[in-house]
Amino acid sequence: MDDKILSQLATKHDLERLATKEELDGFKNENFNRLDEVLLILKRLDQERIFTTEWVKRIESEVETHRREITKIKDMLKIS
């Protein structure tokens, strides 16, 4: 008989530790909000990466143009 009572008390204690539907919904909503924030940051980083890549291409093109011009000027001035 004592075993049954102890078993019921343990079960009641276990049930009290379970999360309610409202707590689980709150937890789920918090996590979805955090994931939305992370996704937004990743989208911004991806867009920034695209613009940065294009910017680097433009700068590299300008550098190459300047190299050619410098080489021509050196040739004209007869500087190695």
Side-chain angles (χ1 to χ4, degrees):
M1 185 114 155
D2 290 333
D3 290 337
K4 277 188 173 181
I5 293 172
L6 288 175
S7 175
Q8 288 177 351
L9 287 175
T11 302
K12 183 179 178 187
H13 178 70
D14 290 340
L15 288 175
E16 289 173 354
R17 291 181 33 212
L18 292 176
T20 64
K21 182 176 179 350
E22 291 81 19
E23 290 171 332
L24 287 176
D25 287 343
F27 177 76
K28 182 176 72 171
N29 288 337
E30 285 177 30
N31 283 321
F32 280 141
N33 288 338
R34 288 183 188 137
L35 288 172
D36 286 342
E37 291 171 5
V38 169
L39 185 60
L40 181 63
I41 291 168
L42 287 174
K43 283 181 179 179
R44 286 180 183 163
L45 286 173
D46 191 45
Q47 290 173 352
E48 183 177 327
R49 180 188 54 82
I50 291 168
F51 287 115
T52 301
T53 301
E54 291 302 314
W55 180 73
V56 167
K57 286 179 183 177
R58 283 194 303 272
I59 296 298
E60 286 177 343
S61 173
E62 286 181 31
V63 166
E64 189 55 40
T65 301
H66 291 157
R67 274 197 189 121
R68 284 194 304 269
E69 289 175 354
I70 289 170
T71 302
K72 286 179 182 178
I73 292 170
K74 282 182 169 182
D75 286 345
M76 291 171 71
L77 294 173
K78 298 183 183 178
I79 302 173
S80 337

